[in-house]
Amino acid sequence: MKIAVIGMGLIGGSLAKAFMNVKDAEVFGYDLDNVTVARAKLENAMNHSLTKENIGQCEYIFIALYPKATEGFLEEFSPFISKNATVIDCGGTKREICSKGFQMSEKYGFCFMGGHPMAGTQFSGFKYSRASMFQNASMILVPKKDETIETLERIKKVLVAIGFKSVTVSSAEEHDRIIAYTSQLAHVVSNAYVKSPNSRVHKGFSAGSYKDLTRVAKLNPGMWTELFMENGDNLTFEIDNIIAELQKYSDAIKAGDKEKLYNLLDEGSKIKESIG
């Protein structure tokens, strides 16, 4: 099985390392940074450098680049991809890239599927990648509407081989709407939370709740700017909603309304209990 991994950062590097542990897998790696490629080779995270000349050999192609770079890669490399290949992007938004990917798929004959590994850390870059990144994780797949069950099952077997526990199938619209809440809003809130002047003097006063809430405040601003802007409609809905909810707490405290505050806290606690 010949695997191409495009982009050797946290997710791409982890994919490459994971596939290197799969029997009979051969990994072709690609990154715009030659130093990263050299490091990946030294750490045995890939067998070969990917080129336009050898990409046609690859059965599965995983693209782990920023959204616009993914579109650019597809524009440049699609003519050289085998019609028997399956191309899966691993970005955090799906509507724009799936539109582009399905277009390229239709034009050149390969199978394209949107993908989003539900795994990662607050750190970025190849040095933080690890082969175990996807153990027991979920992979979201966004296939074209008429994709066959056989194709999905085949891809699932490849994903299970590197540790994924489950595969969730979604539309691009549903993915972007839900991910705005489960991932993107959390990054915005965490990033804004540490801007309090008291964040500078938290040591000795902070414990688990502080660590949980601030874990993803440290992020890659270039990547997340692209993701947030591409999903702006869904994300701003979530931001506006949480601002409105927070205002209720502030108003109750300012008014000295204990009953209102109690009800707000009780409501949130019960919702969390019901959703897990």
Side-chain angles (χ1 to χ4, degrees):
M1 179 171 60
K2 294 185 177 182
I3 305 288
V5 178
I6 319 304
M8 300 294 284
L10 177 68
I11 296 300
S14 296
L15 284 168
K17 289 177 179 179
F19 277 116
M20 286 293 286
N21 289 336
V22 175
K23 185 180 179 182
D24 298 327
E26 195 173 352
V27 177
F28 295 71
Y30 176 93
D31 197 277
L32 294 174
D33 180 14
N34 292 330
V35 174
T36 299
V37 173
R39 181 171 181 176
K41 287 181 177 178
L42 283 172
E43 294 187 19
N44 295 316
M46 55 188 281
N47 300 109
H48 316 283
S49 292
L50 184 76
T51 65
K52 291 176 181 176
E53 288 69 35
N54 61 27
I55 194 172
Q57 303 175 30
C58 298
E59 302 163 63
Y60 297 93
I61 299 168
F62 291 85
I63 308 177
L65 299 171
Y66 292 6
K68 296 304 180 187
T70 297
E71 292 184 26
F73 179 87
L74 286 171
E75 283 281 1
E76 184 177 354
F77 278 79
S78 285
F80 306 96
I81 295 173
S82 168
K83 291 183 179 181
N84 297 318
T86 298
V87 179
I88 301 173
D89 94 282
C90 298
T93 54
K94 294 275 81 77
R95 284 175 294 178
E96 288 193 23
I97 190 55
C98 282
S99 176
K100 184 68 173 182
F102 293 148
Q103 177 188 344
M104 292 292 100
S105 171
E106 185 72 23
K107 183 175 182 179
Y108 293 104
F110 56 81
C111 171
F112 177 86
M113 202 168 291
H116 190 175
M118 293 291 93
T121 73
Q122 67 269 40
F123 304 108
S124 60
F126 178 80
K127 68 178 179 178
Y128 295 107
S129 63
R130 61 179 189 272
S132 61
M133 179 69 72
F134 311 109
Q135 290 298 318
N136 298 316
S138 172
M139 176 65 138
I140 301 172
L141 291 179
V142 181
K144 61 182 181 180
K145 292 182 179 179
D146 60 349
E147 194 58 81
T148 65
I149 294 296
E150 291 77 15
T151 298
L152 288 167
E153 285 294 333
R154 174 171 51 82
I155 294 170
K156 182 177 179 180
K157 288 180 181 178
V158 173
L159 295 170
V160 168
I162 57 171
F164 284 99
K165 185 178 182 180
S166 64
V167 171
T168 299
V169 177
S170 171
S171 69
E173 291 74 21
E174 179 186 43
H175 170 278
D176 286 2
R177 175 174 54 82
I178 297 176
I179 218 70
Y181 170 69
T182 61
S183 175
Q184 294 184 341
L185 179 65
H187 283 78
V188 170
V189 170
S190 184
N191 192 263
Y193 180 79
V194 297
K195 293 178 181 178
S196 165
N198 285 317
S199 67
R200 279 72 170 172
V201 293
H202 78 87
K203 291 183 179 178
F205 294 84
S206 56
S209 56
Y210 173 84
K211 291 177 181 178
D212 290 344
L213 190 50
T214 61
R215 184 179 68 81
V216 293
K218 180 176 171 57
L219 46 70
N220 181 329
M223 180 185 75
W224 285 103
T225 295
E226 280 198 38
L227 293 173
F228 291 166
M229 295 302 288
E230 280 202 1
N231 203 25
D233 54 345
N234 290 310
L235 181 55
T236 53
F237 169 83
E238 295 295 346
I239 292 173
D240 291 346
N241 182 70
I242 198 171
I243 289 172
E245 290 298 325
L246 287 170
Q247 190 63 53
K248 295 177 184 177
Y249 293 80
S250 180
D251 291 346
I253 294 168
K254 288 175 181 176
D257 191 337
K258 292 182 180 180
E259 182 179 359
K260 178 64 174 177
L261 180 59
Y262 176 92
N263 289 336
L264 287 168
L265 294 169
D266 187 51
E267 178 187 31
S269 181
K270 287 178 177 176
I271 289 174
K272 173 56 181 172
E273 184 178 3
S274 70
I275 63 178

